Amino acid sequence: MNRFCLLLLWSVYAFAHAESDLSFANGFGQYGVGLRVVQLVDRARVLRDKIDLLSGAPATGERARPIQTLIWYPATPNSGTPLRYDDYLRTAATELEFARTASDVTRHVARGLKDDYANLNDAQAARAAAQVMRAMRDARAAPGTFPVLIYAPGSSSSAHENADLCEYLASHGYLVLASASVGVNTRSINLDLEGAEAQAGDIAFLTGYAQTLEQADGARLAVIGYSFGGLANVLAAARDDRIGALVALDGSVRYFPAIVQSAAYATPERLALPMLYLGGKPRTAEVMNRNQQVPSSSLMNQMKYADLYNVTMDTMEHAAFQSESLRLGPEQRFGDYTLAEAALAYGWMGRYVLAFLDGYLKNDASALAFMRNRPQQNGVPAHLLSLDLHLAEGGAPTLATLAGSYARRGHSKLADIFQTMSKRDARFKPGERALISWGERFLEQTRYREALEIFALTSALYPDSPRARFYLALGYDKHHDDVLAIAAYRRVLALWPDMQDALRGIERLEGVPAQRHANFEVPAVH
């Protein structure tokens, strides 16, 4: 056994009761904290290439994407096996290889500490590894269900990088899941759209897995992302409206605007959800210019349909937003500030994360008031942080909000509702097929008047589409408005002369005595 391992074993004994210096402004919550490590595989995606990168030969064995997941959960206090920081470090060794031996894991930890934290001598590393944590392995789960939080680490980082924050949130009644930041086909992640979407895919996988957990209240879901994870979580939310809130810890959604712009689906309309952005002290324009980081645009500035809390942590450099750096990193990682100052700010960061989540996932009015107070009102030390708040400018113009407004108006005057929404955003134009699918649902329920309003709007927005015209004709036909149906079918044929359904519709209607009269007027859409 090498010298480091001997020191590690000695230190675990000598410092068994050593506590972390990290603390939170309002302390831990009423629950104990349990930790489970589950080794999952996403068989819908591949991690390993067809060719093994080490041997150059065809890959053998499992190639699907491994997703080892750490789960922090509200637990009965003091009901499990106490954890030390070394237990978290050891989980990093089995992220991609689940079946490593204990000795292999120990060597991996020692090598990782020496590679990533060369500032630590053996004794310092051992002392840090021996620190007692709040979580207990396999503690008894507290009764009830709890909001779900997915934690997305920074680029290529391990799931435990913010274990302190995850423990803190679990103690306040949250179920927290995290997996490592892994690239498309390698352990390291590329800082590009493909890499961000790979991590967003892991978030989506954990979102689905969380629904299977007994303690999970899947209807209350948020994603927290640090650094590059704070870009991946935005992409995940743009694709999954079950995500009800976002937290970015100095997230890369600010620092990589080109990646955000290349994700065309990440629009303000799809990101109409509350967001808390906690950022480090801003760099000067000159420094950002030298580093080619001057944003050409800011997605956050465009998120006008979201409550956006932009909190600047004046005594935190980027590394201070993850507790691993506070535990293991050299003081130089925190710029002009001491470790104590960075740790104090970290505690207040956690306090703001908790208040934000309580406000939006637990509907806690006092937590929302905290978020909207001036920092001094919340007891924040002077010059520690500042808040810039922008509240949502109404609901986002989407097909879903259009349908909601239509229902509230008693399913009438759809054209007027659309005109009001389009005045707020002239680009608002629901997709043709989405509108038709919406109208078909009313057709299936023989609610022809509502279907006709939807198909009339579709035809007005897509006047050159024979499909849109056909569904308007079909709506008239189903509603027994024969004259209007025949005229509408003829407009379809003007765009698509040999459309058989339109031809058959005209033949059938013109062969029936005209005993009925049109009783639906097409609403005008401007």
Side-chain angles (χ1 to χ4, degrees):
M1 186 175 292
N2 63 33
R3 178 168 160 268
F4 177 85
C5 296
L6 288 171
L7 279 167
L8 180 60
L9 291 172
W10 172 81
S11 299
V12 167
Y13 172 79
F15 297 106
H17 299 288
E19 295 288 347
S20 163
D21 292 332
L22 291 178
S23 60
F24 293 89
N26 63 329
F28 280 79
Q30 69 183 87
Y31 296 100
V33 179
L35 176 74
R36 290 196 305 275
V37 180
V38 294
Q39 292 173 324
L40 308 171
V41 177
D42 183 356
R43 300 189 185 283
R45 293 186 294 157
V46 170
L47 176 70
R48 295 175 60 206
D49 277 316
K50 290 181 178 180
I51 302 300
D52 183 83
L53 297 182
L54 183 62
S55 67
T60 59
E62 181 64 80
R63 293 178 55 218
R65 190 173 181 85
I67 301 185
Q68 176 177 273
T69 304
L70 275 57
I71 305 175
W72 293 268
Y73 57 93
T76 302
N78 303 315
S79 61
T81 304
L83 290 177
R84 293 169 178 81
Y85 200 64
D86 177 56
D87 293 302
Y88 284 123
L89 295 174
R90 293 174 72 84
T91 64
T94 54
E95 288 166 344
L96 301 187
E97 298 178 42
F98 296 162
R100 280 187 162 177
T101 65
S103 58
D104 192 20
V105 168
T106 298
R107 285 192 295 272
H108 184 278
V109 172
R111 185 169 60 250
L113 285 171
K114 288 186 176 296
D115 289 347
D116 297 336
Y117 296 98
N119 58 290
L120 298 174
N121 61 38
D122 288 348
Q124 290 170 327
R127 182 183 178 96
Q131 289 179 318
V132 175
M133 301 300 292
R134 176 70 54 161
M136 293 194 169
R137 175 85 73 163
D138 299 323
R140 288 195 305 273
T145 59
F146 304 91
V148 175
L149 307 177
I150 308 298
Y151 178 82
S155 60
S156 305
S157 291
S158 293
H160 70 266
E161 70 168 13
N162 249 325
D164 295 85
L165 177 64
C166 295
E167 291 183 347
Y168 168 73
L169 294 171
S171 79
H172 283 279
Y174 289 92
L175 184 63
V176 188
L177 291 79
S179 64
S181 169
V182 176
V184 177
N185 296 117
T186 59
R187 174 61 186 87
S188 295
I189 193 169
N190 289 333
L191 302 184
D192 55 20
L193 179 60
E194 191 177 27
E197 288 184 332
Q199 190 169 15
D202 293 343
I203 293 169
F205 178 85
L206 291 182
T207 297
Y209 172 70
Q211 307 300 316
T212 70
L213 301 178
E214 187 175 347
Q215 283 184 300
D217 179 354
R220 295 185 290 170
L221 170 68
V223 186
I224 304 171
Y226 163 68
S227 192
F228 204 64
L231 188 160
N233 69 341
V234 172
L235 302 189
R239 286 182 159 169
D240 188 348
D241 62 7
R242 293 174 298 178
I243 297 173
L246 287 175
V247 176
L249 308 178
D250 213 26
S252 292
V253 67
R254 169 178 283 173
Y255 303 116
F256 290 89
I259 295 178
V260 178
Q261 287 177 316
S262 62
Y265 54 87
T267 64
E269 292 77 21
R270 289 190 174 189
L271 292 166
L273 74 167
M275 180 175 183
L276 169 63
Y277 189 97
L278 292 131
K281 185 177 181 180
R283 297 180 178 181
T284 65
E286 290 76 18
V287 169
M288 293 183 74
N289 207 314
R290 281 200 300 273
N291 295 337
Q292 298 182 334
Q293 286 185 319
V294 178
S296 55
S297 65
S298 167
L299 175 63
M300 289 191 291
N301 276 345
Q302 301 167 25
M303 290 172 61
K304 59 183 179 180
Y305 307 115
D307 290 349
L308 177 61
Y309 299 81
N310 197 334
V311 177
T312 299
M313 308 295 297
D314 288 323
T315 62
M316 293 181 78
E317 296 287 333
H318 186 68
F321 287 85
Q322 57 156 229
S323 61
E324 183 174 75
S325 290
L326 294 171
R327 287 178 173 278
L328 303 177
E331 295 243 357
Q332 289 80 2
R333 297 193 78 176
F334 311 119
D336 297 331
Y337 304 103
T338 65
L339 174 60
E341 288 172 322
L344 174 66
Y346 183 91
W348 277 101
M349 176 198 81
R351 179 71 185 93
Y352 270 79
V353 171
L354 177 65
F356 174 79
L357 295 171
D358 283 351
Y360 285 97
L361 296 189
K362 297 184 178 180
N363 297 315
D364 185 332
S366 63
L368 275 182
F370 178 97
M371 290 302 303
R372 295 174 186 180
N373 284 343
R374 294 190 306 277
Q376 299 91 321
Q377 293 175 279
N378 295 331
V380 178
H383 313 302
L384 188 72
L385 62 85
S386 57
L387 168 68
D388 177 52
L389 169 62
H390 178 271
L391 296 178
E393 300 173 12
T398 64
L399 180 58
T401 54
L402 178 64
S405 296
Y406 188 40
R408 288 190 294 273
R409 290 278 294 270
H411 289 106
S412 65
K413 300 188 180 301
L414 179 62
D416 292 344
I417 297 168
F418 173 81
Q419 287 174 29
T420 299
M421 292 178 68
S422 61
K423 284 178 183 177
R424 288 185 21 234
D425 188 339
R427 299 170 304 162
F428 176 47
K429 185 178 180 181
E432 176 192 355
R433 295 195 179 209
L435 283 167
I436 288 171
S437 295
W438 181 30
E440 284 183 305
R441 296 183 64 181
F442 286 98
L443 275 186
E444 291 167 0
Q445 298 183 18
T446 67
R447 296 173 64 177
Y448 301 128
R449 182 186 59 79
E450 293 95 330
L452 274 164
E453 284 205 89
I454 294 169
F455 295 144
L457 175 62
T458 310
S459 295
L461 294 177
Y462 297 93
D464 297 327
S465 167
R467 181 185 296 105
R469 292 289 185 184
F470 173 75
Y471 274 93
L472 180 59
L474 182 64
Y476 287 135
D477 197 345
K478 295 285 189 183
H479 199 230
H480 302 306
D481 294 326
D482 298 355
V483 174
L484 289 176
I486 291 169
Y489 280 133
R490 293 195 183 282
R491 284 193 289 270
V492 173
L493 294 173
L495 297 168
W496 188 352
D498 60 348
M499 187 185 186
Q500 295 301 306
D501 287 337
L503 289 168
R504 284 193 291 267
I506 292 171
E507 291 172 1
R508 174 173 44 80
L509 292 172
E510 288 188 332
V512 175
Q515 298 173 350
R516 294 170 294 217
H517 301 283
N519 55 21
F520 182 83
E521 182 178 348
V522 180
V525 179
H526 302 291

